[in-house]
Amino acid sequence: MDFYEIETKYGAGVYAKQQLSIVRGQGASLFDAEGNEYLDCSSGHGVANLGHAHPKVAAAIAEQASTLVTLFESYPNDKRAALMQKLASLVPGLERVFFCNSGTEAVEAALKFARLSTGRTNIVATMRAFHGRTFGALSATFNKKYREGFEPLVPGFSHVPYNKIEALENAVTDETAAVILEVIQGEGGVYPADADYLRAARKICDERGTLLIVDEIQSGFGRTGKMFAVQHFDMTPDLLCCAKSLAGGVPIGAVLIGEKVQNLTPGVHGSTFGGNPLSCAAALAALAAIEEEDLAGQAAEKGTYMMEKLRQIESPLIREVRGMGLMVGIELKQKVAPYLKALQEKRVIALNAGMTVLRLLPPLVITYEQIDRLVSALEDVLKSEN
Ligand SMILES: Cc1ncc(COP(=O)(O)O)c(C=O)c1O
């Protein structure tokens, strides 16, 4: 049996498996067992911002693996303390950190902290939002394809149209614990927020004593051209959720916490693996590399180049190219699945975001030559009958 057959037989069955097994990565390239190279424009769903097998992250993991892998957060540790200090320095006003192990756990923690801090229960989320698959995060997620079969979800959640100030104005009351939103919606179709909308969200939350949670799980760590997408706008949330690329691919989640968030006392929340020295060491190395290599600056420049090139493709199938930095969506007038398959046949791995949006989340270390390769493969694929 090959890997595909084994995983299809023994896996839980909750993933649509590709007939493509990958055994190695390097930079923006992935390789199958025969050594064939594929251009990775997915980064494992936005994780590999630093590229695959980054030498500094690999060295930090190896060193920490033979030093100390696990330590419950009750016991302070050199790597965890250093990572807390580093994360607390990234966004002025967000100077406490909660560690967990994934995006959905970061959202779960932020939702719990908001309820605990305000003593209120209601959460206002946005239409098209994706925040994860555990019950709290799933309740904030909009698309029924993720929710169906799991109801009843957590009570108190409502959804308003994204980028519509008036709808938010009407939905947030003095019983709302938090508003949760993505600065650029990822899974929902790559829709950036308007600056006015984010400013209004901050103002509405301030007026009603509501906390503002921003989900930067996909948009964080240089992806959009700044360390966090929210830094493009003059706005600081009360809780910022991150995960994915924070530790260069090692599982980690974190919530950055602002001053207004109260009542976080020993025992109210926790995580066995949260803040483990292995993921903290990997994250320290990843953050250092993001800064040393100016990956955010690279994402801004390469993103502009990529979107210009994509907009030059003459195809009646393209409705719109949009995005921020290297978080790019190409909205087609047709279903995107056959084009993703055709791209894979040309050895380019990309993603969808809903039925009609082709999403590109390449490692930020992708080269200009690789971007040209992607654009020309896409041009070919859109020209042929699919
Ligand atoms: C914006 C956003 N929030 C939350 C999540 C959930 O993260 P995880 O899959 O690590 O639980 C994702 C994952 O795609 C995401 O894109």
Side-chain angles (χ1 to χ4, degrees):
M1 282 201 285
D2 64 15
F3 304 141
Y4 172 83
E5 285 165 349
I6 295 169
E7 291 199 16
T8 302
K9 178 159 186 219
Y10 295 107
V14 299
Y15 296 96
K17 295 267 174 194
Q18 304 287 332
Q19 297 249 22
L20 171 64
S21 302
I22 299 293
V23 296
R24 189 171 74 80
Q26 184 66 57
S29 297
L30 292 169
F31 299 88
D32 66 14
E34 280 77 48
N36 297 310
E37 189 237 355
Y38 291 79
L39 177 58
D40 181 11
C41 292
S42 73
S43 300
H45 281 246
V47 174
N49 285 13
L50 288 94
H52 299 283
H54 192 286
K56 289 197 175 153
V57 178
I61 294 170
E63 196 188 326
Q64 193 61 37
S66 56
T67 305
L68 184 68
V69 169
T70 192
L71 184 73
F72 197 68
E73 253 209 59
S74 307
Y75 298 90
N77 168 261
D78 55 343
K79 295 298 183 314
R80 190 194 304 120
L83 182 60
M84 282 181 174
Q85 268 181 328
K86 180 74 211 165
L87 287 171
S89 74
L90 294 180
V91 185
L94 301 183
E95 275 139 34
R96 284 175 292 164
V97 187
F98 174 77
F99 287 123
C100 49
N101 317 287
S102 65
T104 200
E105 280 177 73
V107 170
E108 215 62 44
L111 295 170
K112 285 182 74 179
F113 294 168
R115 281 190 168 178
L116 198 65
S117 180
T118 59
R120 306 174 181 180
T121 50
N122 292 346
I123 308 285
V124 174
T126 60
M127 290 176 183
R128 291 192 308 243
F130 183 85
H131 295 294
R133 295 170 186 268
T134 52
F135 274 104
L138 185 60
S139 305
T141 292
F142 180 69
N143 194 326
K144 68 175 184 322
K145 118 175 160 192
Y146 301 112
R147 298 163 62 99
E148 253 169 22
F150 301 109
E151 286 101 351
L153 298 179
V154 180
F157 285 71
S158 59
H159 292 84
V160 291
Y162 191 67
N163 268 340
K164 295 272 183 292
I165 296 174
E166 205 185 318
L168 198 60
E169 190 77 71
N170 294 334
V172 179
T173 70
D174 58 10
E175 286 171 17
T176 309
V179 168
I180 180 167
L181 49 87
E182 294 153 273
V183 180
I184 167 168
Q185 292 186 315
E187 302 294 314
V190 192
Y191 290 97
D194 298 334
D196 286 355
Y197 179 66
L198 290 179
R199 269 195 294 274
R202 180 65 279 177
K203 187 162 168 278
I204 292 166
C205 286
D206 286 344
E207 284 168 2
R208 324 246 157 117
T210 297
L211 296 173
L212 180 57
I213 305 172
V214 159
D215 178 344
E216 292 249 19
I217 289 161
Q218 195 167 132
S219 58
F221 303 108
R223 167 70 50 199
T224 68
K226 300 258 188 205
M227 186 60 101
F228 293 111
V230 81
Q231 291 169 322
H232 290 281
F233 308 92
D234 185 20
M235 193 275 276
T236 307
D238 299 301
L239 294 143
L240 187 152
C241 302
C242 49
K244 289 204 193 273
S245 68
L246 166 54
V250 175
I252 191 169
V255 186
L256 309 188
I257 303 165
E259 280 160 18
K260 279 197 213 148
V261 182
Q262 297 166 3
N263 304 332
L264 301 185
T265 52
V268 297
H269 195 50
S271 161
T272 298
F273 288 129
N276 69 81
L278 184 74
S279 62
C280 291
L284 277 170
L287 289 172
I290 289 172
E291 288 183 347
E292 278 160 23
E293 296 171 31
D294 187 23
L295 288 185
Q298 291 201 43
E301 280 174 27
K302 290 171 184 172
T304 304
Y305 177 80
M306 183 192 272
M307 280 195 269
E308 265 170 25
K309 286 264 166 181
L310 290 170
R311 287 186 180 123
Q312 281 163 17
I313 296 180
E314 284 177 20
S315 167
L317 293 175
I318 297 181
R319 193 183 296 282
E320 190 184 22
V321 175
R322 57 177 177 257
M324 287 171 82
L326 283 173
M327 186 164 176
V328 174
I330 304 159
E331 184 168 341
L332 301 184
K333 292 179 188 158
Q334 297 187 9
K335 287 193 178 155
V336 75
Y339 299 100
L340 284 174
K341 189 162 172 284
L343 267 183
Q344 192 165 302
E345 279 157 17
K346 291 189 171 294
R347 302 212 177 145
V348 174
I349 296 174
L351 293 165
N352 71 309
M355 300 293 269
T356 57
V357 178
L358 195 152
R359 184 171 35 145
L360 300 168
L361 299 174
L364 312 184
V365 297
I366 189 171
T367 63
Y368 286 92
E369 181 273 327
Q370 285 172 319
I371 294 175
D372 290 345
R373 207 171 113 200
L374 154 75
V375 174
S376 109
L378 192 64
E379 212 162 5
D380 288 353
V381 159
L382 291 175
K383 266 190 208 136
S384 60
E385 279 302 307
N386 276 292

